[in-house]
Amino acid sequence: MADILLPANFGLDILQCRVHGNVTLLLADDVTMAASSVILSLNSPVLRNLFAETGATTLDFRACSGAAVQCFVRALYYGSIGLDTVLFREINKMAHHYEVGWLVKRCHGYFNTLIADMDTQDYDNVFYVVEEARFQSDTMGDSLVVERVVKRIKSSGAAGFVEKYLVDYTELERSQVDIALEIAGDNSCLIVKIVIANLLNKSMEIDAVTKYILTQIDLMDCLKKNKALFDDLFDLLFEKAQNVPVQDLKLFLKLYRKTYEDFNTEGEDKGSKDIAIDECKSSAVTITLLAPVDTNIRPRDTNEETEKRLQASSLNGSLPSICGSDGSSKNPQIGVRIKII
C-alpha cells in the first residue's frame, strides 16, 4: 500500500460493488452505501487503523449530509473532486477528520481561491467566506485562515460589512464578534457607533456582548478621533446606570477613567477627570456632574479644592454631553463624582 501514489483513480465502477464492498456506510435518511475497506484505508490512515484494530464493517456517517458523504467517498475512489460552496464545509471537515492528506490540500487550495476572488462589496459572499474561516479556526484550529480573510477584507474596505454583520451582535457567538473586531481594526469609531445604535434599540439593560466589546476596542483612539462620539457613548451608558448591577457601573467608570488617564498621559488633554467610587455593596447609585469647569484646575487639585471651584448639579442618573453642536468641546475638562450608597 505504501507504494501507491495518492490521489489515485481506483475506478468508480467498483464503488457499491458487492464483491469489493465489504464495509457498509450508514448515511442520513436510512441510506446505506457499500465501500471497500482497502480503498478507504489507502486514503485515510485513521480508517486504516480503525479497520486494523477493530475489524469494523460498518461506519456511521449520519452526522453529515448524504450528498456530502457520497461526494467524499467518490473522491477517495476517483482521486479527484469538484468542490463547491454547498458541500465544501462538510467535505473539508471529513478530509481533516479522516486525515485524507491530498484532499485536505485540495480544500485548502479551493478556499484560498475563494478568499482571493471574494467580492468585498457583496455582503453574502463576504459573509460566507468569513463564516467558513471562523468554522475552520474553531473546529480545525487553523487560526491563520482567519488572518488571511481579515487581511483580504481590510484591503478593500470593511466598514459596510462590519456594520451589517454586527447589526444585532447580541445574537452572535464570541468568535463572530472577535472576527468582526479584527476586520474593523483601528476603526474604533465605527464600533462605538454600532454599540450606541444597539444600546438605543434595546431596553435599559446592558448585555454581556456590549460589555465585552467595550473592553476589547481602543476607546482612547475613539476619544482622539471623535470626542463627541466618545461622550455620546458614555452619556448613554451612564444614563442606563440606574438599571445595571454595581459591578457593571464600576466597569464603565473604570473604562472612562482609564481612557482619560491614558489620554492625559499622552499630553493631549491636561484636564482632571476625577471619578470617585465609594466602595459599597448597595446597588443604589447617584451620579453628579461637577460643571462648568474652570480651565485653571490643576490635575493635582484635591476633590475638596475642586468642588470649591465648581458648580455642582445633580443629573438624576444621566450625564449630558459636554460637546457643542459643532463637535467642539465646551468644557474640555470635567469632574464626575459617582457615589454608590
Side-chain angles (χ1 to χ4, degrees), residues 85 118-132 160-161 164-165:
T85 56
M118 179 170 47
D119 180 359
T120 56
Q121 303 306 310
D122 183 340
Y123 176 80
D124 291 335
N125 184 205
V126 179
F127 179 83
Y128 173 82
V129 175
V130 166
E131 286 300 296
E132 285 304 316
F161 172 76
K164 193 169 182 179
Y165 192 73

Side-chain angles (χ1 to χ4, degrees), residues 56-76:
T57 58
T58 302
L59 297 176
D60 191 344
F61 282 90
R62 287 176 293 186
C64 299
S65 68
V69 176
Q70 291 184 44
C71 185
F72 174 72
V73 175
R74 287 172 64 89
L76 303 189

